[in-house]
Amino acid sequence: TTGSRSVIALTLGQVRFASTKLLRDPMAVFFSMVFPIVLLVFFSAIYGREAQWGGLPLPQYLAAAFAVYGVCVMAYVNFSGNVAEDRSRGVLKRLRGSPLPSSAYLAGRIGASIVLGAVTVVLVFGIGAALFGVRVGPMPMLMTALAFIVIIGCATALGLLVVSLVDSEQAVVAIALATLLPLSMISDIFINAPDLPDTISTVGWIFPLRHMSYVAVQASSGQELGVEWLGHIAVIAAWGLAAAIIASRLFRWEPRRGG
């Protein structure tokens, strides 16, 4: 083609490329999209619709909680791993000398996380609705979308922070998983946090994942959303903003060891 492409066109091209790359990775697809559905079906089938968790029917609660988990795997683990992989292979170094703006590359990766994260949420709630009567009304659907946009933004910012602090692709993925999995245990996703010792339960509120679970459950279940809900949204946004600011200062397009 003749002429230069706009930044928007370049960014959309990066979104398509990054999304395709993730969808071609069986492990990434399984743990971010399939695994949350498997967990939802498994636990809902075992305990039934009559079971309660957090004052809600178990499938309704788990659909939101496991959707948060899947989105975080996509936006935190997969996103950071792919950026670290591109850097370690010298892709980012070469891109600096290409017509592609650095901002378009990062925006494309973040956009892919948003698109595929949205697919994950739709799949989890769709399976929950089809098999277990999970319901999300029009207004709750809007607030749920808002909640997950903030969640994905925070998760990608934290993923970028990990990439900014660590060079090795393997180490980035290991650190992301080593933080996500334990926090999932104390953040009302895999275990009901109020059943944990008070100290551990309190620690869960320090980190953003438990706030993510709370806002997603509250919004999708149609409960009244007030100042407390907005406070949790603010905590998630604050974590994301802080991570983004630090990452913007520390991020390197080449590994610190050179090459």
Side-chain angles (χ1 to χ4, degrees):
T1 60
T2 59
S4 59
R5 300 177 64 189
S6 68
V7 174
I8 294 178
L10 290 171
T11 300
L12 291 176
Q14 289 298 304
V15 172
R16 289 192 295 271
F17 175 80
S19 299
T20 302
K21 181 180 179 180
L22 281 168
L23 289 174
R24 288 177 178 174
D25 184 342
M27 296 298 289
V29 171
F30 177 79
F31 284 106
S32 61
M33 294 183 172
V34 179
F35 191 52
I37 295 173
V38 171
L39 292 174
L40 172 64
V41 173
F42 177 76
F43 287 109
S44 297
I46 287 180
Y47 294 105
R49 300 185 186 184
E50 295 76 17
Q52 298 281 313
W53 195 354
L56 296 170
L58 182 65
Q60 184 78 41
Y61 185 101
L62 292 182
F66 290 147
V68 169
Y69 177 77
V71 160
C72 286
V73 172
M74 180 67 70
Y76 179 55
V77 180
N78 294 342
F79 166 79
S80 61
N82 282 337
V83 174
E85 178 187 10
D86 286 345
R87 182 174 60 190
S88 65
R89 293 183 177 182
V91 174
L92 299 189
K93 180 180 179 180
R94 292 193 293 273
L95 284 178
R96 298 301 298 275
S98 74
L100 179 70
S102 304
S103 58
Y105 169 84
L106 289 176
R109 269 56 188 175
I110 295 171
S113 296
I114 293 174
V115 170
L116 297 181
V119 172
T120 298
V121 174
V122 170
L123 288 175
V124 172
F125 278 99
I127 295 296
L131 300 181
F132 305 107
V134 174
R135 293 290 178 265
V136 183
M139 182 55 68
M141 190 177 299
L142 179 62
M143 301 310 293
T144 301
L146 171 62
F148 275 100
I149 289 172
V150 178
I151 289 168
I152 293 172
C154 177
T156 52
L158 290 168
L160 189 61
L161 177 59
V162 175
V163 178
S164 302
L165 296 172
V166 181
D167 279 339
S168 167
E169 170 194 351
Q170 292 77 12
V172 166
V173 174
I175 290 172
L177 288 173
T179 50
L180 178 61
L181 292 176
L183 286 176
S184 296
M185 297 293 181
I186 61 174
S187 299
D188 290 334
I189 291 180
F190 293 149
I191 298 175
N192 196 6
D195 295 335
L196 296 170
D198 291 342
T199 302
I200 297 178
S201 181
T202 300
V203 169
W205 285 117
I206 297 175
F207 299 97
L209 190 58
R210 192 171 181 187
H211 298 274
M212 294 177 180
S213 176
Y214 178 91
V215 298
V217 170
Q218 294 292 109
S220 62
S221 61
Q223 298 186 29
E224 183 177 351
L225 306 179
V227 175
E228 184 179 2
W229 188 82
L230 292 175
H232 290 285
I233 286 285
V235 171
I236 299 168
W239 267 92
L241 180 60
I245 291 173
I246 298 172
S248 69
R249 295 178 178 276
L250 299 179
F251 184 76
R252 297 291 184 274
W253 293 86
E254 300 176 42
R256 289 178 176 81
R257 61 180 179 273

